[in-house]
PDB file of all heavy atoms in Angstrom:
ATOM      1  N   THR A   1      34.121 -47.786-126.837  1.00 96.00           N
ATOM      2  CA  THR A   1      33.795 -46.437-127.212  1.00 96.00           C
ATOM      3  C   THR A   1      32.380 -46.371-127.473  1.00 96.00           C
ATOM      4  O   THR A   1      31.773 -47.216-127.974  1.00 96.00           O
ATOM      5  CB  THR A   1      34.590 -46.087-128.510  1.00 96.00           C
ATOM      6  OG1 THR A   1      35.969 -46.258-128.292  1.00 96.00           O
ATOM      7  CG2 THR A   1      34.319 -44.580-128.823  1.00 96.00           C
ATOM      8  N   ARG A   2      31.629 -45.260-126.925  1.00 97.00           N
ATOM      9  CA  ARG A   2      30.189 -45.170-127.095  1.00 97.00           C
ATOM     10  C   ARG A   2      29.867 -43.699-127.690  1.00 97.00           C
ATOM     11  O   ARG A   2      30.437 -42.701-127.256  1.00 97.00           O
ATOM     12  CB  ARG A   2      29.515 -45.213-125.740  1.00 97.00           C
ATOM     13  CG  ARG A   2      29.631 -46.704-125.081  1.00 97.00           C
ATOM     14  CD  ARG A   2      28.850 -46.715-123.722  1.00 97.00           C
ATOM     15  NE  ARG A   2      29.143 -45.565-122.941  1.00 97.00           N
ATOM     16  CZ  ARG A   2      28.323 -45.056-122.057  1.00 97.00           C
ATOM     17  NH1 ARG A   2      27.043 -45.572-121.931  1.00 97.00           N
ATOM     18  NH2 ARG A   2      28.613 -44.063-121.259  1.00 97.00           N
ATOM     19  N   VAL A   3      28.864 -43.751-128.514  1.00 97.00           N
ATOM     20  CA  VAL A   3      28.182 -42.441-129.094  1.00 97.00           C
ATOM     21  C   VAL A   3      26.808 -42.741-128.771  1.00 97.00           C
ATOM     22  O   VAL A   3      26.138 -43.716-129.173  1.00 97.00           O
ATOM     23  CB  VAL A   3      28.334 -42.250-130.635  1.00 97.00           C
ATOM     24  CG1 VAL A   3      27.770 -41.061-131.041  1.00 97.00           C
ATOM     25  CG2 VAL A   3      29.906 -42.346-130.838  1.00 97.00           C
ATOM     26  N   LEU A   4      26.178 -41.713-127.933  1.00 96.00           N
ATOM     27  CA  LEU A   4      24.887 -41.846-127.498  1.00 96.00           C
ATOM     28  C   LEU A   4      24.007 -40.629-127.670  1.00 96.00           C
ATOM     29  O   LEU A   4      24.635 -39.506-127.700  1.00 96.00           O
ATOM     30  CB  LEU A   4      24.700 -42.397-126.021  1.00 96.00           C
ATOM     31  CG  LEU A   4      25.301 -41.501-125.007  1.00 96.00           C
ATOM     32  CD1 LEU A   4      24.211 -40.626-124.437  1.00 96.00           C
ATOM     33  CD2 LEU A   4      25.888 -42.237-123.797  1.00 96.00           C
ATOM     34  N   THR A   5      22.739 -40.885-127.913  1.00 93.00           N
ATOM     35  CA  THR A   5      21.801 -39.735-127.906  1.00 93.00           C
ATOM     36  C   THR A   5      20.684 -39.982-126.773  1.00 93.00           C
ATOM     37  O   THR A   5      20.591 -41.135-126.423  1.00 93.00           O
ATOM     38  CB  THR A   5      21.007 -39.538-129.158  1.00 93.00           C
ATOM     39  OG1 THR A   5      20.052 -40.672-129.324  1.00 93.00           O
ATOM     40  CG2 THR A   5      21.957 -39.516-130.341  1.00 93.00           C
ATOM     41  N   SER A   6      20.179 -38.930-126.305  1.00 87.00           N
ATOM     42  CA  SER A   6      18.980 -39.279-125.183  1.00 87.00           C
ATOM     43  C   SER A   6      18.188 -38.063-125.195  1.00 87.00           C
ATOM     44  O   SER A   6      18.449 -36.985-125.424  1.00 87.00           O
ATOM     45  CB  SER A   6      19.761 -39.272-123.887  1.00 87.00           C
ATOM     46  OG  SER A   6      18.781 -39.475-122.820  1.00 87.00           O
ATOM     47  N   HIS A   7      16.885 -38.496-124.900  1.00 84.00           N
ATOM     48  CA  HIS A   7      15.845 -37.362-124.879  1.00 84.00           C
ATOM     49  C   HIS A   7      16.067 -36.572-123.603  1.00 84.00           C
ATOM     50  O   HIS A   7      15.493 -35.587-123.387  1.00 84.00           O
ATOM     51  CB  HIS A   7      14.455 -37.978-124.979  1.00 84.00           C
ATOM     52  CG  HIS A   7      14.158 -38.807-123.563  1.00 84.00           C
ATOM     53  ND1 HIS A   7      14.509 -40.103-123.479  1.00 84.00           N
ATOM     54  CD2 HIS A   7      13.490 -38.581-122.503  1.00 84.00           C
ATOM     55  CE1 HIS A   7      14.182 -40.614-122.338  1.00 84.00           C
ATOM     56  NE2 HIS A   7      13.576 -39.638-121.682  1.00 84.00           N
ATOM     57  N   ASP A   8      16.874 -37.134-122.677  1.00 89.00           N
ATOM     58  CA  ASP A   8      17.212 -36.493-121.401  1.00 89.00           C
ATOM     59  C   ASP A   8      18.720 -35.990-121.435  1.00 89.00           C
ATOM     60  O   ASP A   8      19.566 -36.751-121.175  1.00 89.00           O
ATOM     61  CB  ASP A   8      17.046 -37.664-120.232  1.00 89.00           C
ATOM     62  CG  ASP A   8      17.195 -36.851-118.885  1.00 89.00           C
ATOM     63  OD1 ASP A   8      17.854 -35.801-118.760  1.00 89.00           O
ATOM     64  OD2 ASP A   8      16.926 -37.644-117.890  1.00 89.00           O
ATOM     65  N   PRO A   9      18.896 -34.762-121.729  1.00 93.00           N
ATOM     66  CA  PRO A   9      20.252 -34.214-121.868  1.00 93.00           C
ATOM     67  C   PRO A   9      21.074 -34.312-120.633  1.00 93.00           C
ATOM     68  O   PRO A   9      22.291 -34.545-120.732  1.00 93.00           O
ATOM     69  CB  PRO A   9      20.133 -32.732-122.352  1.00 93.00           C
ATOM     70  CG  PRO A   9      18.604 -32.439-122.039  1.00 93.00           C
ATOM     71  CD  PRO A   9      17.815 -33.629-122.055  1.00 93.00           C
ATOM     72  N   GLN A  10      20.388 -34.076-119.484  1.00 93.00           N
ATOM     73  CA  GLN A  10      21.207 -34.181-118.227  1.00 93.00           C
ATOM     74  C   GLN A  10      21.702 -35.503-118.065  1.00 93.00           C
ATOM     75  O   GLN A  10      22.765 -35.782-117.533  1.00 93.00           O
ATOM     76  CB  GLN A  10      20.387 -33.683-116.985  1.00 93.00           C
ATOM     77  CG  GLN A  10      19.903 -32.272-117.127  1.00 93.00           C
ATOM     78  CD  GLN A  10      21.147 -31.279-117.095  1.00 93.00           C
ATOM     79  OE1 GLN A  10      22.125 -31.634-116.664  1.00 93.00           O
ATOM     80  NE2 GLN A  10      21.028 -30.159-117.533  1.00 93.00           N
ATOM     81  N   ALA A  11      20.833 -36.637-118.269  1.00 91.00           N
ATOM     82  CA  ALA A  11      21.286 -38.011-118.167  1.00 91.00           C
ATOM     83  C   ALA A  11      22.407 -38.259-119.055  1.00 91.00           C
ATOM     84  O   ALA A  11      23.469 -38.985-118.806  1.00 91.00           O
ATOM     85  CB  ALA A  11      20.257 -38.984-118.462  1.00 91.00           C
ATOM     86  N   ALA A  12      22.492 -37.752-120.392  1.00 94.00           N
ATOM     87  CA  ALA A  12      23.450 -38.067-121.273  1.00 94.00           C
ATOM     88  C   ALA A  12      24.788 -37.260-120.890  1.00 94.00           C
ATOM     89  O   ALA A  12      25.897 -37.880-120.925  1.00 94.00           O
ATOM     90  CB  ALA A  12      22.950 -37.485-122.684  1.00 94.00           C
ATOM     91  N   LEU A  13      24.656 -36.077-120.343  1.00 95.00           N
ATOM     92  CA  LEU A  13      25.851 -35.340-119.795  1.00 95.00           C
ATOM     93  C   LEU A  13      26.556 -36.167-118.748  1.00 95.00           C
ATOM     94  O   LEU A  13      27.791 -36.142-118.614  1.00 95.00           O
ATOM     95  CB  LEU A  13      25.417 -33.942-119.387  1.00 95.00           C
ATOM     96  CG  LEU A  13      25.086 -32.975-120.506  1.00 95.00           C
ATOM     97  CD1 LEU A  13      24.481 -31.711-119.953  1.00 95.00           C
ATOM     98  CD2 LEU A  13      26.264 -32.638-121.263  1.00 95.00           C
ATOM     99  N   ALA A  14      25.799 -36.729-117.844  1.00 94.00           N
ATOM    100  CA  ALA A  14      26.395 -37.523-116.818  1.00 94.00           C
ATOM    101  C   ALA A  14      27.087 -38.792-117.234  1.00 94.00           C
ATOM    102  O   ALA A  14      28.077 -39.229-116.572  1.00 94.00           O
ATOM    103  CB  ALA A  14      25.235 -38.039-115.875  1.00 94.00           C
ATOM    104  N   GLU A  15      26.876 -39.218-118.472  1.00 93.00           N
ATOM    105  CA  GLU A  15      27.613 -40.401-118.977  1.00 93.00           C
ATOM    106  C   GLU A  15      28.771 -40.020-119.919  1.00 93.00           C
ATOM    107  O   GLU A  15      29.520 -40.836-120.182  1.00 93.00           O
ATOM    108  CB  GLU A  15      26.651 -41.282-119.848  1.00 93.00           C
ATOM    109  CG  GLU A  15      25.536 -41.964-119.039  1.00 93.00           C
ATOM    110  CD  GLU A  15      24.839 -43.016-119.881  1.00 93.00           C
ATOM    111  OE1 GLU A  15      25.542 -43.959-120.164  1.00 93.00           O
ATOM    112  OE2 GLU A  15      23.730 -42.887-120.216  1.00 93.00           O
ATOM    113  N   ALA A  16      28.799 -38.661-120.255  1.00 96.00           N
ATOM    114  CA  ALA A  16      29.609 -38.363-121.405  1.00 96.00           C
ATOM    115  C   ALA A  16      31.189 -37.844-120.889  1.00 96.00           C
ATOM    116  O   ALA A  16      31.347 -37.339-119.802  1.00 96.00           O
ATOM    117  CB  ALA A  16      29.029 -37.167-122.177  1.00 96.00           C
ATOM    118  N   ASP A  17      32.039 -38.070-121.760  1.00 97.00           N
ATOM    119  CA  ASP A  17      33.315 -37.603-121.686  1.00 97.00           C
ATOM    120  C   ASP A  17      33.542 -36.405-122.598  1.00 97.00           C
ATOM    121  O   ASP A  17      34.353 -35.497-122.347  1.00 97.00           O
ATOM    122  CB  ASP A  17      34.526 -38.671-122.000  1.00 97.00           C
ATOM    123  CG  ASP A  17      34.379 -39.862-121.050  1.00 97.00           C
ATOM    124  OD1 ASP A  17      34.519 -39.723-119.938  1.00 97.00           O
ATOM    125  OD2 ASP A  17      34.144 -40.984-121.667  1.00 97.00           O
ATOM    126  N   LEU A  18      32.744 -36.333-123.683  1.00 98.00           N
ATOM    127  CA  LEU A  18      32.820 -35.334-124.703  1.00 98.00           C
ATOM    128  C   LEU A  18      31.259 -35.166-125.145  1.00 98.00           C
ATOM    129  O   LEU A  18      30.641 -36.060-125.143  1.00 98.00           O
ATOM    130  CB  LEU A  18      33.698 -35.856-125.916  1.00 98.00           C
ATOM    131  CG  LEU A  18      33.842 -34.909-127.061  1.00 98.00           C
ATOM    132  CD1 LEU A  18      34.728 -33.714-126.602  1.00 98.00           C
ATOM    133  CD2 LEU A  18      34.617 -35.676-128.113  1.00 98.00           C
ATOM    134  N   VAL A  19      31.101 -33.887-125.550  1.00 98.00           N
ATOM    135  CA  VAL A  19      29.745 -33.487-125.937  1.00 98.00           C
ATOM    136  C   VAL A  19      29.724 -32.964-127.393  1.00 98.00           C
ATOM    137  O   VAL A  19      30.610 -32.071-127.653  1.00 98.00           O
ATOM    138  CB  VAL A  19      29.058 -32.482-125.016  1.00 98.00           C
ATOM    139  CG1 VAL A  19      27.694 -32.193-125.592  1.00 98.00           C
ATOM    140  CG2 VAL A  19      28.902 -33.184-123.625  1.00 98.00           C
ATOM    141  N   LEU A  20      28.940 -33.394-128.188  1.00 97.00           N
ATOM    142  CA  LEU A  20      28.637 -32.619-129.612  1.00 97.00           C
ATOM    143  C   LEU A  20      27.293 -32.169-129.560  1.00 97.00           C
ATOM    144  O   LEU A  20      26.259 -32.920-129.404  1.00 97.00           O
ATOM    145  CB  LEU A  20      28.930 -33.707-130.764  1.00 97.00           C
ATOM    146  CG  LEU A  20      28.412 -33.264-132.070  1.00 97.00           C
ATOM    147  CD1 LEU A  20      29.250 -31.975-132.551  1.00 97.00           C
ATOM    148  CD2 LEU A  20      28.456 -34.433-133.098  1.00 97.00           C
ATOM    149  N   GLY A  21      27.145 -30.897-129.469  1.00 97.00           N
ATOM    150  CA  GLY A  21      25.849 -30.263-129.567  1.00 97.00           C
ATOM    151  C   GLY A  21      25.462 -29.778-130.980  1.00 97.00           C
ATOM    152  O   GLY A  21      26.226 -29.004-131.549  1.00 97.00           O
ATOM    153  N   LEU A  22      24.361 -30.416-131.545  1.00 96.00           N
ATOM    154  CA  LEU A  22      23.815 -29.986-132.815  1.00 96.00           C
ATOM    155  C   LEU A  22      22.717 -29.064-132.880  1.00 96.00           C
ATOM    156  O   LEU A  22      21.797 -29.170-132.118  1.00 96.00           O
ATOM    157  CB  LEU A  22      23.449 -31.383-133.630  1.00 96.00           C
ATOM    158  CG  LEU A  22      24.568 -32.347-133.913  1.00 96.00           C
ATOM    159  CD1 LEU A  22      23.990 -33.572-134.635  1.00 96.00           C
ATOM    160  CD2 LEU A  22      25.703 -31.800-134.775  1.00 96.00           C
ATOM    161  N   LYS A  23      22.655 -28.076-133.774  1.00 95.00           N
ATOM    162  CA  LYS A  23      21.815 -27.070-133.932  1.00 95.00           C
ATOM    163  C   LYS A  23      21.566 -26.991-135.356  1.00 95.00           C
ATOM    164  O   LYS A  23      22.405 -26.476-136.251  1.00 95.00           O
ATOM    165  CB  LYS A  23      22.252 -25.931-133.290  1.00 95.00           C
ATOM    166  CG  LYS A  23      21.140 -24.607-133.343  1.00 95.00           C
ATOM    167  CD  LYS A  23      20.040 -24.791-132.455  1.00 95.00           C
ATOM    168  CE  LYS A  23      19.077 -23.531-132.465  1.00 95.00           C
ATOM    169  NZ  LYS A  23      18.124 -23.679-131.418  1.00 95.00           N
ATOM    170  N   ASP A  24      20.320 -27.362-135.905  1.00 93.00           N
ATOM    171  CA  ASP A  24      20.004 -27.328-137.293  1.00 93.00           C
ATOM    172  C   ASP A  24      21.057 -27.842-138.096  1.00 93.00           C
ATOM    173  O   ASP A  24      21.514 -27.339-139.145  1.00 93.00           O
ATOM    174  CB  ASP A  24      19.770 -25.909-137.710  1.00 93.00           C
ATOM    175  CG  ASP A  24      18.613 -25.280-136.915  1.00 93.00           C
ATOM    176  OD1 ASP A  24      17.603 -25.926-136.674  1.00 93.00           O
ATOM    177  OD2 ASP A  24      18.789 -23.961-136.585  1.00 93.00           O
ATOM    178  N   GLY A  25      21.665 -28.982-137.705  1.00 94.00           N
ATOM    179  CA  GLY A  25      22.628 -29.832-138.480  1.00 94.00           C
ATOM    180  C   GLY A  25      24.075 -29.371-138.498  1.00 94.00           C
ATOM    181  O   GLY A  25      25.027 -29.829-139.017  1.00 94.00           O
ATOM    182  N   ARG A  26      24.240 -28.301-137.603  1.00 95.00           N
ATOM    183  CA  ARG A  26      25.651 -27.726-137.462  1.00 95.00           C
ATOM    184  C   ARG A  26      26.176 -28.080-136.014  1.00 95.00           C
ATOM    185  O   ARG A  26      25.294 -28.298-135.193  1.00 95.00           O
ATOM    186  CB  ARG A  26      25.688 -26.190-137.681  1.00 95.00           C
ATOM    187  CG  ARG A  26      25.206 -25.678-138.926  1.00 95.00           C
ATOM    188  CD  ARG A  26      25.216 -24.156-139.022  1.00 95.00           C
ATOM    189  NE  ARG A  26      24.834 -23.672-140.254  1.00 95.00           N
ATOM    190  CZ  ARG A  26      25.524 -23.426-141.257  1.00 95.00           C
ATOM    191  NH1 ARG A  26      27.026 -23.689-141.150  1.00 95.00           N
ATOM    192  NH2 ARG A  26      25.152 -22.877-142.374  1.00 95.00           N
ATOM    193  N   ALA A  27      27.520 -28.052-135.919  1.00 96.00           N
ATOM    194  CA  ALA A  27      28.148 -28.442-134.621  1.00 96.00           C
ATOM    195  C   ALA A  27      28.050 -26.999-133.932  1.00 96.00           C
ATOM    196  O   ALA A  27      28.921 -26.201-134.167  1.00 96.00           O
ATOM    197  CB  ALA A  27      29.386 -28.960-134.817  1.00 96.00           C
ATOM    198  N   SER A  28      27.101 -26.937-132.975  1.00 96.00           N
ATOM    199  CA  SER A  28      26.978 -25.674-132.320  1.00 96.00           C
ATOM    200  C   SER A  28      27.965 -25.599-131.006  1.00 96.00           C
ATOM    201  O   SER A  28      28.352 -24.548-130.454  1.00 96.00           O
ATOM    202  CB  SER A  28      25.601 -25.383-131.768  1.00 96.00           C
ATOM    203  OG  SER A  28      25.564 -24.268-131.029  1.00 96.00           O
ATOM    204  N   PHE A  29      28.361 -26.817-130.601  1.00 97.00           N
ATOM    205  CA  PHE A  29      29.248 -27.018-129.304  1.00 97.00           C
ATOM    206  C   PHE A  29      29.878 -28.260-129.456  1.00 97.00           C
ATOM    207  O   PHE A  29      29.390 -29.362-129.746  1.00 97.00           O
ATOM    208  CB  PHE A  29      28.423 -26.990-128.162  1.00 97.00           C
ATOM    209  CG  PHE A  29      29.283 -27.239-126.842  1.00 97.00           C
ATOM    210  CD1 PHE A  29      29.801 -26.252-126.298  1.00 97.00           C
ATOM    211  CD2 PHE A  29      29.412 -28.550-126.417  1.00 97.00           C
ATOM    212  CE1 PHE A  29      30.757 -26.491-125.116  1.00 97.00           C
ATOM    213  CE2 PHE A  29      30.247 -28.777-125.286  1.00 97.00           C
ATOM    214  CZ  PHE A  29      30.797 -27.781-124.668  1.00 97.00           C
ATOM    215  N   VAL A  30      31.291 -28.284-129.247  1.00 97.00           N
ATOM    216  CA  VAL A  30      32.111 -29.516-129.056  1.00 97.00           C
ATOM    217  C   VAL A  30      32.957 -29.228-127.956  1.00 97.00           C
ATOM    218  O   VAL A  30      33.659 -28.206-127.923  1.00 97.00           O
ATOM    219  CB  VAL A  30      32.942 -29.719-130.354  1.00 97.00           C
ATOM    220  CG1 VAL A  30      33.744 -31.043-130.115  1.00 97.00           C
ATOM    221  CG2 VAL A  30      31.984 -29.908-131.638  1.00 97.00           C
ATOM    222  N   GLY A  31      32.912 -30.058-126.889  1.00 97.00           N
ATOM    223  CA  GLY A  31      33.795 -29.931-125.754  1.00 97.00           C
ATOM    224  C   GLY A  31      33.438 -30.904-124.617  1.00 97.00           C
ATOM    225  O   GLY A  31      32.491 -31.835-124.840  1.00 97.00           O
ATOM    226  N   ALA A  32      33.976 -30.625-123.503  1.00 97.00           N
ATOM    227  CA  ALA A  32      33.706 -31.575-122.287  1.00 97.00           C
ATOM    228  C   ALA A  32      32.332 -31.086-121.758  1.00 97.00           C
ATOM    229  O   ALA A  32      31.986 -29.914-121.816  1.00 97.00           O
ATOM    230  CB  ALA A  32      34.925 -31.383-121.283  1.00 97.00           C
ATOM    231  N   PRO A  33      31.800 -32.083-120.933  1.00 97.00           N
ATOM    232  CA  PRO A  33      30.415 -31.679-120.376  1.00 97.00           C
ATOM    233  C   PRO A  33      30.501 -30.410-119.462  1.00 97.00           C
ATOM    234  O   PRO A  33      29.486 -29.724-119.400  1.00 97.00           O
ATOM    235  CB  PRO A  33      30.239 -33.028-119.714  1.00 97.00           C
ATOM    236  CG  PRO A  33      30.840 -34.055-120.279  1.00 97.00           C
ATOM    237  CD  PRO A  33      32.135 -33.487-120.794  1.00 97.00           C
ATOM    238  N   GLU A  34      31.537 -30.293-118.540  1.00 96.00           N
ATOM    239  CA  GLU A  34      31.667 -29.245-117.740  1.00 96.00           C
ATOM    240  C   GLU A  34      31.822 -27.970-118.398  1.00 96.00           C
ATOM    241  O   GLU A  34      31.531 -26.899-117.716  1.00 96.00           O
ATOM    242  CB  GLU A  34      32.701 -29.426-116.779  1.00 96.00           C
ATOM    243  CG  GLU A  34      34.016 -29.613-117.373  1.00 96.00           C
ATOM    244  CD  GLU A  34      34.446 -31.021-117.717  1.00 96.00           C
ATOM    245  OE1 GLU A  34      33.498 -31.867-117.828  1.00 96.00           O
ATOM    246  OE2 GLU A  34      35.686 -31.305-117.851  1.00 96.00           O
ATOM    247  N   GLN A  35      32.169 -27.914-119.792  1.00 96.00           N
ATOM    248  CA  GLN A  35      32.374 -26.690-120.527  1.00 96.00           C
ATOM    249  C   GLN A  35      31.008 -26.205-121.134  1.00 96.00           C
ATOM    250  O   GLN A  35      30.948 -25.158-121.613  1.00 96.00           O
ATOM    251  CB  GLN A  35      33.400 -26.877-121.500  1.00 96.00           C
ATOM    252  CG  GLN A  35      34.744 -27.156-121.188  1.00 96.00           C
ATOM    253  CD  GLN A  35      35.687 -27.443-122.209  1.00 96.00           C
ATOM    254  OE1 GLN A  35      35.366 -28.084-123.246  1.00 96.00           O
ATOM    255  NE2 GLN A  35      36.920 -27.052-122.187  1.00 96.00           N
ATOM    256  N   LEU A  36      29.963 -27.016-121.026  1.00 96.00           N
ATOM    257  CA  LEU A  36      28.598 -26.763-121.661  1.00 96.00           C
ATOM    258  C   LEU A  36      27.774 -25.935-120.588  1.00 96.00           C
ATOM    259  O   LEU A  36      27.283 -26.504-119.596  1.00 96.00           O
ATOM    260  CB  LEU A  36      27.888 -27.972-122.110  1.00 96.00           C
ATOM    261  CG  LEU A  36      26.540 -27.802-122.725  1.00 96.00           C
ATOM    262  CD1 LEU A  36      26.720 -26.842-123.940  1.00 96.00           C
ATOM    263  CD2 LEU A  36      25.922 -29.171-123.006  1.00 96.00           C
ATOM    264  N   SER A  37      27.615 -24.773-120.793  1.00 95.00           N
ATOM    265  CA  SER A  37      26.856 -23.790-119.898  1.00 95.00           C
ATOM    266  C   SER A  37      25.473 -24.126-120.050  1.00 95.00           C
ATOM    267  O   SER A  37      24.991 -24.658-121.018  1.00 95.00           O
ATOM    268  CB  SER A  37      27.073 -22.341-120.273  1.00 95.00           C
ATOM    269  OG  SER A  37      26.523 -22.095-121.449  1.00 95.00           O
ATOM    270  N   ALA A  38      24.708 -23.781-119.035  1.00 95.00           N
ATOM    271  CA  ALA A  38      23.234 -24.021-118.929  1.00 95.00           C
ATOM    272  C   ALA A  38      22.654 -23.177-120.054  1.00 95.00           C
ATOM    273  O   ALA A  38      21.486 -23.662-120.831  1.00 95.00           O
ATOM    274  CB  ALA A  38      22.669 -23.571-117.655  1.00 95.00           C
ATOM    275  N   ALA A  39      23.202 -22.066-120.315  1.00 96.00           N
ATOM    276  CA  ALA A  39      22.588 -21.147-121.478  1.00 96.00           C
ATOM    277  C   ALA A  39      22.675 -21.804-122.800  1.00 96.00           C
ATOM    278  O   ALA A  39      21.850 -21.714-123.651  1.00 96.00           O
ATOM    279  CB  ALA A  39      23.231 -19.765-121.481  1.00 96.00           C
ATOM    280  N   LYS A  40      23.959 -22.354-123.012  1.00 95.00           N
ATOM    281  CA  LYS A  40      24.247 -23.054-124.245  1.00 95.00           C
ATOM    282  C   LYS A  40      23.402 -24.286-124.404  1.00 95.00           C
ATOM    283  O   LYS A  40      22.939 -24.593-125.453  1.00 95.00           O
ATOM    284  CB  LYS A  40      25.775 -23.369-124.288  1.00 95.00           C
ATOM    285  CG  LYS A  40      26.181 -24.053-125.673  1.00 95.00           C
ATOM    286  CD  LYS A  40      25.970 -22.929-126.815  1.00 95.00           C
ATOM    287  CE  LYS A  40      26.482 -23.339-128.155  1.00 95.00           C
ATOM    288  NZ  LYS A  40      26.259 -22.319-129.200  1.00 95.00           N
ATOM    289  N   LEU A  41      23.246 -25.082-123.390  1.00 95.00           N
ATOM    290  CA  LEU A  41      22.293 -26.111-123.381  1.00 95.00           C
ATOM    291  C   LEU A  41      20.938 -25.780-123.753  1.00 95.00           C
ATOM    292  O   LEU A  41      20.216 -26.357-124.630  1.00 95.00           O
ATOM    293  CB  LEU A  41      22.390 -26.921-122.094  1.00 95.00           C
ATOM    294  CG  LEU A  41      21.484 -28.162-122.029  1.00 95.00           C
ATOM    295  CD1 LEU A  41      21.951 -29.230-123.111  1.00 95.00           C
ATOM    296  CD2 LEU A  41      21.577 -28.795-120.583  1.00 95.00           C
TER     297      LEU A  41
END
């Protein structure tokens, strides 16, 4: 099992099965990489 961060979000998305998007300490997005829209990213 891996939990990773990266300065390159596209590279991280390519490795991910699941994404947690943080915005000001809150979970702004939780879901599969393909569910994360360009606008949300």
